[in-house]
Amino acid sequence: MTRAINFNAGPAALPLPALERAQAELLDFAGSGMSVMEHSHRGKEYEAVHREAQALLRELLKVPESYDVLFLQGGATQEFAQVPLNFLPAGRTADYVITGAWGEKALSEAKACAALGGGAVRVSVSTGRGDGKEKQYTSAPADFAAAPGAAYVHVTSNETIHGVQLASQPGAEFPRCEAPLVADMSSDFLWRPFDVSRFAFIYAGAQKNIGPSGVTVAVAKKDFIAQGRKDLPKIFQYRTHAENDSLYNTPPTFGIYLVRNVLAWVKEQGGLAAMEKANREKARLVYGAVDASGGFYRCPVELQSRSAMNAVFRLRDEKLEEQFVAEAKKQRMVGLKGHRSVGGIRVSLYNAVTVENARVLSSFMAEFARRNG
Ligand SMILES: *Cc1c(COP(=O)(O)O)cnc(C)c1O
């Protein structure tokens, strides 16, 4: 078997040991004679997995006691609507910081919820230039202020399509903000350590950095969840999931099991500090190849906002991009085509992508530029 070198944006590469563990345990989980998928979500075998996944996440991220860790369904996209449904009451305003396409989508769902619930939505910062489909995002703000009395401020910590990351520089912190900060961290959750206590509500679809699709992880301040609307259907209230330990209804058990495997692997590697070290090195290798190419490759994103997770670039001769992708594929490198809305090349460098993988790509980039420059 030859594994692909997977630079997909999501669903994305998973750590090989996490997959191998699933393979070894597939038919006979914990000596039970069946797979974890076939167990009741109320039984002791699954319960141990559920608890371990929560405990690992708490340990890796140093989640304070005053926060809940939730496993949800519906993807990050569902949170785009569920966050304003819960936290934007009538007469209040929610602020949105827009640094790319995912933030735009979150904003659009928030507007629909505001129209239903009598709240309002304000764009506090947008770094977009141009209009409609031509809109370009090449930077994230170093700072932003919330409207006085804002119900919350929503940010997208990493824009997966545009390759724009908030606080992407080594040592840089997320901007401070008076209002409760809500973050879509789908594509940069657990790539490095960060201070959870700065945030009121964090959510992340698992399929980028921590597991398979079908699980959304949320880390939420208990007193923020308690403020949520109580007149929503129970299934849409975050408190329901918090009060029932993410077992209100059947959770995506196999997905959470795989998240457990990935988190155990992250811990074995040395935790989030080790993840950050490797991720910085991978980003250095790929952006290094861009910057050393004498303009053959160019990254549209400003230096301080370049994403360590999704490196986007164009070729000087855009007609060569298809050839770049095809030749890389012959060397087992897949997932390099940019998102259909922006084109170009996108290299996703999530935790499961190894430094060696990035080195292979970086050498290929240099060699491709030499041959075609
Ligand atoms: C992928 C992604 C989403 C959408 O996730 P789904 O699971 O498809 O709903 C939202 N936000 C960001 C930042 C993403 O990368």
Side-chain angles (χ1 to χ4, degrees):
M1 174 195 66
T2 321
R3 296 264 302 160
I5 301 179
N6 185 353
F7 296 110
N8 270 321
L14 287 165
L16 187 57
L19 293 174
E20 285 171 338
R21 185 173 179 186
Q23 183 182 45
E25 294 178 341
L26 188 68
L27 300 184
D28 184 12
F29 179 72
S32 65
M34 44 182 174
S35 78
V36 68
M37 275 182 275
E38 299 167 284
H39 276 278
S40 164
H41 61 296
R42 311 269 177 216
K44 69 174 180 357
E45 288 85 357
Y46 174 71
E47 196 182 310
V49 170
H50 197 84
R51 302 249 170 276
E52 192 187 344
Q54 286 171 333
L56 281 165
L57 196 63
R58 284 191 172 275
E59 183 186 340
L60 289 167
L61 257 185
K62 298 189 170 66
V63 176
E65 273 305 309
S66 53
Y67 283 69
D68 283 313
V69 169
L70 307 179
F71 299 126
L72 307 167
Q73 301 190 66
T77 304
Q78 183 165 314
E79 309 314 321
F80 292 168
Q82 209 169 329
V83 162
L85 282 176
N86 276 264
F87 304 124
L88 179 53
R92 302 280 300 278
T93 299
D95 273 13
Y96 278 69
V97 175
I98 311 294
T99 51
W102 290 113
E104 281 180 20
K105 288 209 162 107
L107 173 71
S108 154
E109 292 293 78
K111 282 181 178 162
C113 296
L116 280 174
V121 176
R122 185 185 84 129
V123 175
S124 56
V125 187
S126 170
T127 57
R129 286 176 286 109
D131 283 314
K133 283 213 179 315
E134 302 301 304
K135 204 161 201 170
Q136 288 185 22
Y137 291 92
T138 56
S139 68
D143 212 350
F144 49 80
Y152 64 84
V153 177
H154 183 280
V155 299
T156 311
S157 57
N158 183 61
E159 280 288 353
T160 323
I161 294 173
H162 288 89
V164 170
Q165 190 171 26
L166 203 57
S168 58
Q169 292 298 291
E173 289 287 352
F174 289 105
R176 284 197 181 278
C177 173
E178 297 284 306
L181 195 53
V182 175
D184 173 4
M185 288 197 187
S186 293
S187 53
D188 66 348
F189 193 54
L190 301 190
W191 81 284
R192 67 162 184 181
F194 71 94
D195 180 3
V196 170
S197 73
R198 289 243 182 133
F199 296 85
F201 194 96
I202 296 159
Y203 63 91
Q207 72 271 24
K208 311 286 165 59
N209 222 359
I210 57 168
S213 61
V215 188
T216 311
V217 174
V219 179
K221 211 174 195 167
K222 288 179 176 165
D223 63 11
F224 190 61
I225 286 185
Q227 287 167 28
R229 274 177 74 150
K230 296 196 169 98
D231 56 352
L232 296 171
K234 275 209 185 70
I235 189 72
F236 296 131
Q237 294 182 38
Y238 288 117
R239 76 167 54 68
T240 305
H241 301 284
E243 285 167 0
N244 292 281
D245 209 10
S246 304
L247 287 161
Y248 173 67
N249 64 332
T250 317
T253 53
F254 193 63
I256 293 168
Y257 160 82
L258 271 165
V259 167
R260 188 282 307 259
N261 288 4
V262 172
L263 297 176
W265 172 83
V266 170
K267 185 179 168 181
E268 256 171 49
Q269 299 303 296
L272 299 186
M275 288 296 115
E276 175 166 18
K277 188 160 175 278
N279 286 328
R280 298 254 181 233
E281 177 61 10
K282 289 170 337 194
R284 193 190 63 77
L285 283 163
V286 174
Y287 288 114
V290 170
D291 295 338
S293 71
F296 183 86
Y297 305 107
R298 68 190 155 75
C299 173
V301 181
E302 286 175 17
L303 204 58
Q304 75 283 359
S305 302
R306 284 178 172 185
S307 169
M309 295 284 96
N310 313 97
V312 299
F313 56 87
R314 305 292 319 219
L315 270 60
R316 183 166 47 210
D317 179 359
E318 293 180 4
K319 288 195 294 296
L320 280 174
E321 287 169 351
E322 209 173 305
Q323 188 186 332
F324 178 92
V325 170
E327 285 188 22
K329 193 164 183 190
K330 284 196 190 126
Q331 300 185 31
R332 295 191 295 116
M333 290 179 274
V334 300
L336 291 169
K337 201 166 158 24
H339 190 269
R340 60 187 185 280
S341 63
V342 294
I345 307 294
R346 171 172 56 176
V347 186
S348 296
L349 297 165
Y350 302 126
N351 290 346
V353 174
T354 65
V355 172
E356 184 51 30
N357 293 161
R359 198 168 285 129
V360 171
L361 175 66
S362 170
S363 305
F364 168 76
M365 287 171 67
E367 185 261 333
F368 187 89
R370 256 195 312 276
R371 263 192 295 117
N372 296 285

